[in-house]
Amino acid sequence: MSHESSLMPRKGAFGAYGGRYVSELLVPALDELEEARKTIVRSSSFKREFRETLREWAGRPTALTYAANFSKRCNMQVYLKREDLLHGGAHKTNNVVGQGILAKRMGKTRIIAETGAGQHGVATAMVGARLGFETVVYMGARDVERQAPNVKRMQLCGATVIPVTTGSQTLKDAINEALRDWTANLGNTHYLLGTVCGPDPFPRLVRDFHRVIGKEAKQQWADRVGGLPRAVVACVGGGSNAIGIFRAFLKDHDVDLVGVEPGGRGLESGEHGATLQKGTPGLLHGARTSVLQDEFGQILEPHSVAAGLDYPGVGPEHAHLRDIGRARYVSVTDDEAIEAFETLARTEGIIPAFESAHALAYAMKAVALGDYEPGTRILINCSGRGDKDLDTYRKLYGHRIGGAAQAKGTES
Amino acid sequence: MSRANLDAAFAAKKHHLSPFLVLGDPTPDISFELAKKAIELGATMLEVGIAYGDPSADGPAIQRANLRAIAAKATTPVALGVMKRIHEAFPALPMNLLVYGNLVHARGFEAFVQDALDVGASSLLVPDILFEEGEQLREVCKRLGLGHAELAGPLTDAKRLKRLASTIDAYLYLVAFQGVTGARTGGSDAIGELVKRTADRIEVPVCVGFGLSSAEHVASVYDAGARVAVVGSHLANAIEAGINAGPLGKGKHVVAAFEKAFAPLAETVNRYA
C-alpha cells in the first residue's frame, strides 16, 4: 500500500491523525458542537452538573483495588481502577453523562448512538431516560442477535433500537447509519458518539469526559501507595478508557503507558483487531487514523472475542501517541484474555469484561516477556464488568467451568 | 486532456443530464452497457463512482449498489478499467468521478489523480474530504489537470459557499436535501428555491443531485438555474428491479429496467436547449 503519507489533518489534529473527513452536510453540526465544547463544557455550571451527576447517579469516585492474589499470578503488584463499579457496568457512563448534559444545554431533544456489543447503547439509553431525550440506538443486525440482553436493557430504558442491515451489519455499519441519521436530523438531534473516534471535535470531547478516570486514579495512588505506578495498562478498541486513564500520566515520563489491543486468533492469523500494530493510515468515520484495510482502502472486518474491541479503526490520539513513542501498544489473544477473565474471577472475586481482561492478560505475561522486573507496581484500568459476557463465555468456553456448567452450551 | 471535455460540454449546451453509476454494478460489463444506454438516451455527462464498503453519505439504494459492485469484484483498478472502456467508446464525454476519500488516500493522491486522468476522468469529487482538509488534494488536481468539484448543502451559508466556489474549477455539487442520497417524491418547490439561491450566489456551474427521481424534479432544477441534474438512487433502484426481474446473463433485464427509469428524464432534458 502506498497510502497518502503526506496528508496532515487540520481540524483538531493529533500530529498526522484526526481531522474532519466527513461530508459538507455535517459541517453545521460539527461547528455547533465545537462551539458548545468551547463555551458550555468549559462553564462552571456545566462542570458542576457533570460532577454531581457522576457522583450521585453514576457512583463516582470508583475504587482503586489492590489485587493481592492476582498480583501473585502476575509476579507484580497490580492495582485495579474499578470502572466496572460505575453505574451501567463500564467507564462508558462518564462520556454519556457528559454528552447528555451537553446535548440538553444545546437544546437538543433527541439523541442517537451507535453500539456494537450494546454497552454504549445501554449507557446512552440510561442517560436518555434520566435527561428526558427521545433515544435511538443503531446496532448491527448481527449484533442485535448476539447481544439480546443488552437490546432488552435499552428498550427497558425507553430507547428505540434500530437493527442495521447494511454492509457487514456490525459496529462500523451502525456508525455509518448514525452519521446518516445525524446528517438528516441535525437540528434537533445530537449524535452521542461512544468512543474517542470520529470527526473533530469528538475525539477531544469524549476524551475530556473520561479524564476523570486517570485523575481519580492518580490521586488515589498518591494517597494509598505513594509516588507513581511504573506502568498504566488499559485495553484499546476505539480507545476511550485508555485515553481516559493515560491522560493524567501523559507528562509523567517515568510512567509507561501501555495499550493492549485484541490479538484475536493471533496477529499473523489476520483475525484480530490490532489496529495500531497491524493497521495503516486511512480515513474512517471522519478521522485520519490507523485503520485495518486492504490495499485499495476497503475497510476490513476485525475479530475479537470482546465485541467492544472489535473495531477496524482506533482513536486518532492513540495513533499519535504510538508514533511519538509516548505510549506502547501490545496485544493478547482471545485465549489469553479468557484466561485472565477466569483468573481474576477466581483469585479476586471480580468478573471483568472481556475487553478489560485484555489489559489483565498483558499483566499476566509482562514479567515473562521481560518487559518488567518482578514486583513492579502497575495500574490497570478494569474498564467494565463481565456480566454481559457470560452467555458468550458459556457458549465458547463453558466446558472450562467446573461442576454444573453445560459442556457445549447447546441449550440456549 | 479529458478536463477539456467538461468545459466543451458546458460551452456547447446549457442543461445536462448526468446519470450516476457505481462502476461494476451489477457487473463491470453490464455497467459499461448501462453507460452506453444512458448516452444513447441523451445523457451528456456521466457521474461515476468507485464502490466503497462504507459509503456513509449514501442512502440505502446507493449503498446496495456499492455492495453489488464489491460482490462483483469491482476493485479500484477494475472500476477504472470500466471508465477506460467508456472513454474509448465516447472520447468527448465528460466523466465526473465521485469517490470516497479512503480509496484515494490508499492509492496516494498523486497516483490516484494520475490514474483517473489516464482513464478519461474530467473531474473528481471526494464527498468525505471536507474543504478544510482538502488543500493537498486540490493542489494535486490542479497541478495534474483534473477538474475539482466540491459539495454544498441546504445549510451551507453564503460566505462558505463563496469560499468553496473560489477553489472550484469543475462544478459545485449541490445536495438538494439535508440528508443522504435517496430517491424522493415531491418537494420540487423547496429544491427550486435552494438551487436558485445557490446559482445566484456563485459563478461556477451548479450541479444538483441527491433525490432527483422524476422529470418534474429535473425540470424544476433546470428552471432554477442548475446546469446539471444528477440522477442516482432512482437508477440504482431500477438496476435492482432489473436484477430481480430474471437471470442476470448479459444484463438484458437490467438494461431494460434502467431504460424504463431513465428515458422519461432524458426526454425532459431533450426539451431544454
Side-chain angles (χ1 to χ4, degrees):
Chain A
M1 163 153 337
S2 60
H3 62 78
E4 184 54 50
S5 52
S6 72
L7 183 61
M8 293 299 279
R10 298 287 163 85
K11 286 273 183 183
F14 304 96
Y17 306 99
R20 275 191 189 175
Y21 297 93
V22 294
S23 149
E24 177 68 27
L25 272 66
L26 271 176
V27 168
L30 294 173
D31 282 349
E32 185 190 11
L33 186 59
E34 173 60 5
E35 181 60 25
R37 194 184 74 87
K38 283 185 189 154
T39 54
I40 300 173
V41 176
R42 288 177 187 168
S43 72
S44 54
S45 88
F46 176 91
K47 285 180 185 163
R48 188 165 54 245
E49 187 180 354
F50 180 50
R51 208 166 45 233
E52 282 173 4
T53 308
L54 286 181
R55 186 179 67 225
E56 288 163 26
W57 183 69
R60 296 214 77 92
T62 60
L64 179 73
T65 301
Y66 177 55
N69 303 319
F70 183 72
S71 289
K72 284 184 196 136
R73 299 291 291 267
C74 300
N75 202 6
M76 289 201 283
Q77 297 185 50
V78 177
Y79 290 77
L80 305 177
K81 179 59 177 166
R82 300 290 306 283
E83 292 299 293
D84 59 310
L85 295 176
L86 196 63
H87 177 44
H91 73 288
K92 295 280 182 197
T93 306
N94 300 317
N95 172 46
V96 296
V97 166
Q99 286 196 54
I101 295 171
L102 179 60
K104 195 88 193 167
R105 289 176 178 233
M106 288 169 75
K108 305 293 179 187
T109 56
R110 179 173 179 268
I111 52 177
I112 58 172
E114 82 295 343
T115 197
Q119 289 308 103
H120 175 58
V122 170
T124 303
M126 287 174 355
V127 90
R130 170 150 173 111
L131 297 177
F133 288 110
E134 178 195 347
T135 306
V136 173
V137 179
Y138 289 97
M139 188 170 185
R142 268 169 56 196
D143 291 332
V144 168
E145 265 179 45
R146 289 191 288 192
Q147 310 286 339
N150 273 341
V151 174
K152 292 274 175 283
R153 287 183 188 106
M154 289 182 248
Q155 289 167 338
L156 189 59
C157 291
T160 304
V161 179
I162 301 183
V164 177
T165 54
T166 54
S168 56
Q169 309 189 6
T170 57
L171 178 60
K172 76 177 176 69
D173 307 285
I175 295 176
N176 291 334
E177 205 55 33
L179 286 170
R180 292 178 188 120
D181 178 316
W182 202 27
T183 306
N185 299 295
L186 45 80
N188 71 344
T189 299
H190 174 67
Y191 177 18
L192 211 159
L193 187 67
T195 189
V196 287
C197 296
D200 172 71
F202 281 111
R204 289 181 289 157
L205 185 73
V206 177
R207 172 195 72 197
D208 289 347
F209 291 142
H210 282 305
R211 286 172 95 135
V212 61
I213 305 171
K215 223 170 131 187
E216 270 179 25
K218 193 173 186 180
Q219 187 62 51
Q220 289 166 322
W221 188 285
D223 294 346
R224 295 248 313 276
V225 190
L228 291 164
R230 175 70 187 81
V232 177
V233 183
C235 65
V236 177
S240 66
N241 91 82
I243 284 287
I245 198 160
F246 285 178
R247 196 71 201 181
F249 299 94
L250 213 54
K251 289 178 182 153
D252 300 309
H253 289 279
D254 294 337
V255 179
D256 290 354
L257 304 178
V258 184
V260 186
E261 294 197 295
R265 300 192 174 98
L267 293 193
E268 303 316 315
S269 71
E271 294 179 66
H272 58 76
T275 317
L276 288 160
Q277 293 163 87
K278 290 288 175 181
T280 46
L283 311 177
L284 178 65
H285 295 141
R288 184 174 198 262
T289 186
S290 193
V291 172
L292 296 177
Q293 57 189 330
D294 72 10
E295 60 180 308
F296 303 116
Q298 300 288 350
I299 305 303
L300 298 173
E301 270 300 304
H303 164 81
S304 172
V305 70
L309 303 181
D310 205 350
Y311 180 61
V314 64
E317 191 167 6
H318 282 293
H320 178 59
L321 292 175
R322 175 199 61 188
D323 282 9
I324 62 171
R326 179 60 193 99
R328 192 157 67 76
Y329 296 89
V330 299
S331 72
V332 304
T333 63
D334 285 351
D335 288 346
E336 288 171 324
I338 295 302
E339 194 188 336
F341 168 85
E342 292 168 337
T343 305
L344 194 74
R346 284 178 198 163
T347 59
E348 300 291 341
I350 298 169
I351 301 172
F354 278 0
E355 290 78 11
S356 321
H358 283 70
L360 298 160
Y362 171 71
M364 290 179 70
K365 66 178 186 181
V367 169
L369 286 171
D371 290 353
Y372 297 103
E373 294 295 315
T376 305
R377 286 176 175 161
I378 65 165
L379 170 64
I380 297 180
N381 196 8
C382 186
S383 55
R385 69 175 186 228
D387 308 45
K388 68 181 178 64
D389 296 313
L390 292 184
D391 278 353
T392 310
Y393 177 69
R394 201 169 43 84
K395 275 180 201 153
L396 297 179
Y397 299 91
H399 56 282
R400 289 160 65 153
I401 311 180
Q406 294 293 322
K408 287 177 180 161
T410 47
E411 82 282 8
S412 66
Chain B
M1 194 178 289
S2 321
R3 168 77 188 79
N5 286 349
L6 191 63
D7 298 332
F10 279 131
K13 197 166 176 298
K14 186 157 186 208
H15 297 108
H16 296 268
L17 183 62
S18 176
F20 171 69
L21 296 172
V22 176
L23 296 159
D25 171 31
T27 69
D29 284 345
I30 299 174
S31 122
F32 173 71
E33 294 302 322
L34 293 173
K36 252 170 55 181
K37 175 57 74 180
I39 293 154
E40 182 189 304
L41 291 170
T44 47
M45 284 186 189
L46 208 53
E47 189 178 338
V48 289
I50 300 179
Y52 185 53
D54 294 82
S56 59
D58 283 299
I62 305 279
Q63 285 173 45
R64 289 195 297 271
N66 276 282
L67 293 177
R68 287 194 297 269
I70 288 170
K73 303 201 162 39
T75 58
T76 300
V78 170
L80 292 172
V82 176
M83 281 180 77
K84 188 158 188 251
R85 282 175 69 186
I86 299 171
H87 183 58
E88 282 166 1
F90 306 96
L93 180 80
M95 275 193 293
N96 301 308
L97 181 56
L98 185 147
V99 53
Y100 278 89
N102 202 44
L103 302 182
V104 183
H105 184 273
R107 178 79 174 103
F109 290 164
E110 186 130 358
F112 187 91
V113 168
Q114 192 56 57
D115 289 351
L117 285 166
D118 290 346
V119 297
S122 301
S123 74
L124 177 65
L125 175 62
V126 181
D128 59 343
I129 293 188
L130 200 59
F131 179 76
E132 281 79 357
E133 309 287 3
E135 199 180 323
Q136 285 154 282
L137 183 57
R138 285 196 293 272
E139 186 276 318
V140 173
C141 286
K142 198 174 177 92
R143 181 158 44 81
L144 299 184
L146 184 64
H148 148 255
E150 287 283 348
L151 273 183
L155 300 175
T156 307
D157 63 36
K159 198 172 142 204
R160 189 166 172 87
L161 200 58
K162 289 213 168 86
R163 233 177 111 211
L164 299 178
S166 71
T167 67
I168 293 170
D169 59 4
Y171 57 86
L172 179 92
Y173 191 119
L174 178 65
V175 175
F177 294 86
Q178 183 66 30
V180 293
T181 55
R184 287 157 173 90
T185 49
S188 289
D189 289 352
I191 308 174
E193 277 169 37
L194 171 69
V195 174
K196 185 166 186 329
R197 195 169 71 220
T198 308
D200 286 350
R201 280 172 178 162
I202 58 173
E203 303 293 324
V204 293
V206 174
C207 161
V208 178
F210 274 46
L212 306 185
S213 60
S214 67
E216 187 207 356
H217 282 154
V218 171
S220 72
V221 303
Y222 288 156
D223 289 341
R227 303 282 311 269
V228 186
V230 176
V231 183
S233 298
H234 177 61
L235 299 176
N237 284 332
I239 292 169
E240 190 164 282
I243 292 167
N244 294 333
L248 195 55
K250 288 184 175 166
K252 191 179 75 178
H253 296 297
V254 173
V255 175
F258 180 89
E259 178 168 3
K260 196 175 153 210
F262 189 62
L265 279 61
E267 280 163 26
T268 311
V269 74
N270 291 336
R271 287 204 306 273
Y272 281 76

